[in-house]
């Protein structure tokens, strides 16, 4: 299903969007990848959603990507005797391992790993940062704090610890079970929550065993600090602005977003901008102007994908939210300023023949009247390198592997077409010309750029480029062999 935009749209599935009809309509409206939130639903419910997506994919004849988002460790306070208490600024409040019900002076924090990492002066954030506590004294089983920002604290509210790296694995017991279910189903992307260091990613990769691409969610200050190391061992990145905005000053999030997107673009790895993009559309059929501007900003930055969370999972207007994202993306990408920004922010990276080939393909496309860049790819590497160039013409990725096509559904500007296994470049040129015509990118009078690696089916071996006519008769006439 050809889109009229390059940026991709992720839609989270939930109670408002888990039927066959709704998933089909969401894809038609613009959702390229569906997110399964492993924080919600049983394994059987996840399996059912996965089956519906694949049924829709087959029905519509359109490649759809699936991303399973692992919950990660959840840090929460215990319960209160009165269910909640109002903490006053300047008051003393203790967190400890005592399982007794809490009161106005203390509550249980059943996570000894937090106490082992805390230091005097560290901050503890409760209930998405609405309450801020500062540690005045601490030990292996307690933290005496001062209330810096007060408010109501109630049963099992979440706790964030922004100032320290916690001795916690990114995968909880629940995550380990969820990971195995997701990989057995054959999801295309696995998103890791609570990533603090590159070792969290490499540990997950050892468990995934190549069954899915790994996407690291950047939602903690420690992940921002070690971002380059995390990016190096990840297949993709999600800028998870919700938790970032809790653990860091909200004013710091926009520049962080810009820096992370640029770094991902420079190495050709997909990057998603997520969280509260069209938040008001959970309850309203129209977004605020500020939300539209936020979505547009991510597109102007060159993000590979933008994501809907509760808007499509639990909101009253899931199709309208996807349609709005689609419309904003089309409008932004038509703006001449968009092209100027994208091209001025392009980072040259020439470290091999494949890099030079895709750069040459992009330059040819920008200086001639070719209609598309057609790249043959087995692993997806050539398509990712081409997408890194952010060319002005569409990218058609031809691959014999449906798993590769589904993973590339997340990548900027990539239109995937399944093809047969090829062993000769002339066959590749013919297949490219045919795909460009059949998918509506060109007609017989047009030309396309074709890139491939010879010998075929060797990842990262792109070493040949041709400007080819879309008229197959001309291809055979010029190359009868």
């Amino acid at each position: 299903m050809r889109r009229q935009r390059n940026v991709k749209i992720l839609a989270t599935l939930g109670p408002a969007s888990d039927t066959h009809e709704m998933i089909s309509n969401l894809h038609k409206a613009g959702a390229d990848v569906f997110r399964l939130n492993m924080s919600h639903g049983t394994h059987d419910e996840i399996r059912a959603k996965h089956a519906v997506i694949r049924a829709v994919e087959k029905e519509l004849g359109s490649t759809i990507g699936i991303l399973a988002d692992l919950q990660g460790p959840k840090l929460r306070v215990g319960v209160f005797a009165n269910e909640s208490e109002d903490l006053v600024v300047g008051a003393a409040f203790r967190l400890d391992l005592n399982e007794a019900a809490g009161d106005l002076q203390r509550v249980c924090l059943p996570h000894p790993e937090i106490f082992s990492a805390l230091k005097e002066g560290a901050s503890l954030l409760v209930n998405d940062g609405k309450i801020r506590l500062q540690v005045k004294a601490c030990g292996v089983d307690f933290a005496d704090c001062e209330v810096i920002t007060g408010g109501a604290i109630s049963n099992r509210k979440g706790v964030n610890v922004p100032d320290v790296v916690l001795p916690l694995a990114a995968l909880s017991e629940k995550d380990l079970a969820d990971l195995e279910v997701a990989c057995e189903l054959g999801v295309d992307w696995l998103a890791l929550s609570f990533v603090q260091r590159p070792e969290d990613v490499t540990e997950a990769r050892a468990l995934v065993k190549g069954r899915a691409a790994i996407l690291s969610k950047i939602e903690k200050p420690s992940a921002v600090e070690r971002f380059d190391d995390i990016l190096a061992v990840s297949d993709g990145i999600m800028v998870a602005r919700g938790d970032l905005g809790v653990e860091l000053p909200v004013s710091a999030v926009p520049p962080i977003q810009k820096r992370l997107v640029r770094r991902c673009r420079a190495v050709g790895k997909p990057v998603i901008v997520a969280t509260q993009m069209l938040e008001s559309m959970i309850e309203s059929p129209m977004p605020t102007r500020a939300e539209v501007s936020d979505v547009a900003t991510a597109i102007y930055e060159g993000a590979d994908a933008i994501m809907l969370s509760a808007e499509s999972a639990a909101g009253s207007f899931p199709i309208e939210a996807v349609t709005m994202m689609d419309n904003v993306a089309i409008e932004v990408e038509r703006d001449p300023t968009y092209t100027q920004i994208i091209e001025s922010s392009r980072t040259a990276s020439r470290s091999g023949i494949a890099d030079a080939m895709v750069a040459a393909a992009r330059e040819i496309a920008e200086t001639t009247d070719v209609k598309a860049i057609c790249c043959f790819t087995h692993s997806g590497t050539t398509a990712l390198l081409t997408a890194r160039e952010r060319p002005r013409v569409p990218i058609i990725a031809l691959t014999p592997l449906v798993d590769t096509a589904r993973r590339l559904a997340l990548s900027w500007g990539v239109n995937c077409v399944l093809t047969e296994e090829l062993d000769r470049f002339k066959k590749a040129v013919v297949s490219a010309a045919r795909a460009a015509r059949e998918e509506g990118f060109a007609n017989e009078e047009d030309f396309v750029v074709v890139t491939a690696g010879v010998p075929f089916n060797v990842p990262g071996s792109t070493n040949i480029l041709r400007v080819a006519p879309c008229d197959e008769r001309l291809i055979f006439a010029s190359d009868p062999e």
Side-chain angles (χ1 to χ4, degrees), residues 78-306:
V79 299
F80 290 84
N82 296 326
E83 295 193 354
S84 69
E85 296 286 351
D86 287 317
L87 300 186
V88 179
V89 174
F93 192 74
R94 169 175 277 216
L95 301 166
D96 55 38
L97 295 177
N98 183 353
E99 296 182 1
D103 53 30
L104 193 57
Q105 282 75 46
R106 58 154 298 278
V107 74
C108 179
L109 180 61
H111 302 285
E113 59 276 8
I114 292 181
F115 296 115
S116 69
L118 282 180
K119 297 178 181 178
E120 184 178 336
S123 293
L124 291 163
L125 310 175
V126 185
N127 193 15
D128 289 333
K130 294 181 176 66
I131 294 173
R132 179 180 291 269
L133 308 174
Q134 186 177 63
V135 177
K136 295 300 182 182
C138 56
V140 295
D141 59 356
F142 77 95
D144 287 330
C145 305
E146 178 185 349
V147 179
I148 304 301
T149 303
I153 182 171
S154 54
N155 296 343
R156 300 186 178 88
K157 288 300 182 184
V159 177
N160 293 77
V161 190
D163 299 337
V164 296
V165 175
L166 296 175
L168 277 173
L171 299 173
S172 65
E173 289 298 320
K174 170 179 166 53
D175 293 325
L176 293 172
D178 290 346
L179 179 150
E180 196 56 38
V181 168
C183 289
E184 287 175 359
L185 284 173
V187 302
D188 309 297
W189 287 89
L190 197 70
L192 303 182
S193 300
F194 210 85
V195 174
Q196 299 183 94
R197 55 207 155 217
E199 290 80 8
D200 294 331
V201 185
T202 54
E203 289 169 9
R205 191 175 293 282
L207 297 171
V208 172
K209 299 175 182 176
R211 292 175 290 176
I214 295 180
L215 186 142
S216 296
K217 295 168 66 177
I218 306 301
E219 51 192 356
K220 297 187 70 62
S222 55
V224 175
E225 291 173 7
R226 300 201 63 187
F227 180 72
D228 288 339
D229 295 331
I230 292 170
L231 176 60
V233 295
S234 304
D235 298 308
I237 294 292
M238 181 189 295
V239 185
R241 305 176 306 172
D243 280 310
L244 270 182
V246 172
E247 300 210 3
L248 289 166
V250 291
S251 57
V253 175
I256 288 173
Q257 174 179 315
K258 281 181 165 47
R259 291 200 304 272
L260 302 192
V261 170
R262 289 280 182 99
R263 292 182 192 177
C264 291
R265 285 183 54 192
V267 298
K269 293 187 178 182
V271 56
I272 305 167
V273 176
T275 319
Q276 296 178 330
M277 301 211 79
L278 295 175
E279 185 84 353
S280 67
M281 290 194 75
I282 296 172
E283 299 176 348
S284 169
M286 288 295 292
T288 67
R289 275 58 170 175
E291 288 168 339
V292 170
S293 181
D294 180 43
V295 171
T297 295
I299 299 168
Y300 276 115
E301 289 167 355
D304 288 83
I306 46 182

Side-chain angles (χ1 to χ4, degrees), residues 387-447:
R388 184 187 65 191
E389 293 292 320
R390 300 295 193 257
R392 297 180 189 177
V393 299
I395 303 167
I396 304 175
L398 297 102
T399 180
L401 303 178
V402 67
D403 289 348
T404 296
R406 288 167 175 166
R407 290 182 187 181
L408 289 172
L410 193 62
S411 297
W412 185 97
V414 177
N415 303 273
C416 290
V417 175
L418 290 172
T419 186
E420 62 183 358
E421 292 275 6
L422 300 171
D423 56 6
R424 295 174 59 197
F425 185 63
K426 189 175 77 171
K427 289 182 179 179
V429 174
V430 171
S431 296
R434 191 171 298 164
R437 295 195 316 271
E438 292 177 353
E439 298 296 322
F441 292 98
N443 55 44
E444 284 193 343
E445 290 73 39
D446 295 321
F447 287 79

